[in-house]
């Protein structure tokens, strides 16, 4: 866990059963501002990563030290970092989301060269990022702009991208636009690929007919049609652009001309 005290705390719940008050088993110090998110390396109880409002991403190994063993300062420039996730399928890949709406992908083996991908698609702060537990190249990001975006790093742009005037990132699969207020959290279903759950803050709106969709918990699935379009399995000669599904809950932005 992390908080305003700038510390990252590791807890051993099992070891404290029946002992009453639970103290942290490890206290990690290195951040200088509020810790926004922490994440363990998959299948590893000793290595973890944290991000904070001091613009940095710190890596820890509780077997060796209570100080950071690696760090990326100004990971998104001088912007607060809000979320981090370590890929379950490809354990050297991480993704971060920040105050400026940026979503960055990092390779743990080469942090010094900077992010491998930079996406500046959200127009408000990113609140959550998470890798798919099933597909190594797929991740999602939620934002204060009310959007949950699903990305595939393996997508490639069409050769005539500029001619089609496509301004969205080529890796964007879909945007879930069912929320009308800030997306505060989402998660992938570990047992059902391409199914997600997302939540937004309570924002009932104003006027005689307030907008619905705020303060909502939504369950949704990326359509197989969308996935096939994004993979290039489309009839010859068709261009797919800005197709919408299920009453504007989904926005698919295609960039294929086969």
């Amino acid at each position: 866990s992390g908080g305003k005290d700038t510390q990252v705390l590791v807890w051993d719940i099992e070891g404290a059963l029946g002992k009453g008050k639970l103290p942290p088993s490890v206290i990690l110090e290195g951040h200088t501002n509020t810790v926004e998110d922490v994440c363990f390396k998959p299948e590893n109880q000793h290595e973890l990563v944290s991000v904070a409002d001091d613009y940095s991403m710190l890596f820890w190994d509780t077997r060796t030290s209570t100080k950071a063993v690696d760090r990326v300062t100004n990971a998104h420039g001088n912007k607060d970092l809000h979320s981090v996730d370590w890929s379950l399928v490809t354990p050297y890949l991480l993704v971060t989301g920040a105050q400026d709406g940026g979503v960055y992908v990092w390779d743990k083996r080469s942090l010094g060269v900077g992010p491998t991908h930079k996406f500046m698609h959200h127009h408000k702060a990113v609140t959550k990022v998470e890798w798919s537990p099933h597909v190594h190249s797929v991740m999602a990001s939620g934002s204060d702009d009310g959007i949950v975006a699903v990305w595939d790093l393996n997508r490639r742009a069409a050769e005539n991208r500029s001619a089609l005037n496509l301004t969205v990132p080529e890796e964007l699969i879909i945007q879930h636009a069912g929320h009308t207020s800030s997306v505060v959290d989402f998660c992938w279903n570990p047992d059902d690929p391409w199914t997600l759950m997302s939540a937004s803050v309570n924002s009932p709106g104003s006027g005689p007919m307030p907008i619905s969709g705020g303060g909502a918990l939504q369950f949704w699935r990326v359509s197989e049609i969308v996935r096939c379009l994004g993979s290039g399995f489309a009839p010859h000669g068709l261009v797919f652009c800005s197709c919408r599904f299920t009453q504007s809950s989904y926005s698919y932005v295609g960039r294929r001309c086969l």
Side-chain angles (χ1 to χ4, degrees):
S1 64
K4 291 184 178 181
D5 60 3
T6 74
Q7 295 178 333
V8 175
L9 305 181
V10 179
W11 309 82
D12 182 2
I13 298 176
E14 184 176 293
L17 290 177
K19 296 182 179 180
K21 186 177 180 180
L22 175 64
S25 58
V26 180
I27 299 176
L28 304 173
E29 296 182 317
H31 285 293
T32 60
N33 207 333
T34 301
V35 177
E36 294 282 2
D37 198 13
V38 296
C39 178
F40 277 97
K41 183 178 181 179
E43 301 182 0
N44 190 310
Q45 63 177 331
H46 303 290
E47 296 181 52
L48 60 157
V49 60
S50 58
V51 294
D53 291 347
D54 59 8
Y55 320 145
S56 66
M57 174 169 57
L58 302 187
F59 293 84
W60 315 85
D61 188 337
T62 59
R63 294 168 296 190
T64 61
S65 175
T66 58
K67 303 298 181 182
V69 296
D70 206 348
R71 68 177 61 225
V72 179
T73 57
N74 297 311
H76 285 242
N78 60 343
K79 302 299 181 182
D80 297 349
L81 274 67
H82 290 169
S83 183
V84 62
D85 193 39
W86 210 320
S87 174
L88 175 65
V89 185
T90 311
Y92 56 81
L93 288 182
L94 298 101
V95 59
T96 54
Q99 178 187 22
D100 61 352
V103 176
Y104 289 9
V105 178
W106 305 83
D107 188 327
K108 179 63 170 64
R109 302 168 300 180
S110 54
L111 294 172
V113 302
T116 61
H117 297 75
K118 291 184 178 183
F119 304 122
M120 298 300 300
H121 182 66
H122 291 289
H123 62 270
K124 290 186 178 180
V126 172
T127 55
K128 174 73 179 288
V129 290
E130 186 173 305
W131 290 97
S132 165
H134 305 283
V135 185
H136 72 93
S137 61
V138 173
M139 62 181 182
S141 57
S143 169
D144 281 338
D145 60 12
I147 296 294
V148 180
V150 180
W151 309 83
D152 185 350
L153 302 182
N154 282 348
R155 289 172 66 97
R156 295 293 182 267
E159 293 181 0
N160 60 346
R161 178 181 176 85
S162 58
L164 293 173
N165 194 29
L166 297 173
T167 58
V168 298
E170 60 189 359
E171 294 86 355
L172 180 64
I173 300 177
I174 63 122
Q175 298 180 122
H176 175 69
H179 294 285
T180 59
S181 57
S182 298
V183 174
V184 293
D185 202 4
F186 72 84
C187 66
W188 295 85
N189 186 328
D191 299 317
D192 187 2
W194 299 101
T195 299
L196 298 94
M197 175 177 66
S198 54
S200 58
V201 299
N202 187 16
S203 179
S206 59
M209 298 182 65
I211 298 175
S212 63
L217 180 66
Q218 300 181 0
F219 298 82
W220 49 281
R221 194 169 194 272
V222 180
S223 167
E224 185 176 357
I225 297 175
V226 172
R227 303 200 305 270
C228 288
L229 293 179
S231 300
F233 299 109
H236 180 76
L238 292 182
V239 178
F240 299 93
C241 184
S242 299
C243 302
R244 292 185 178 272
F245 298 88
T246 63
Q247 298 179 347
S248 299
S249 289
Y250 296 97
S251 174
Y252 168 74
V253 187
R255 56 201 60 73
R256 295 275 178 181
C257 184
L258 306 175

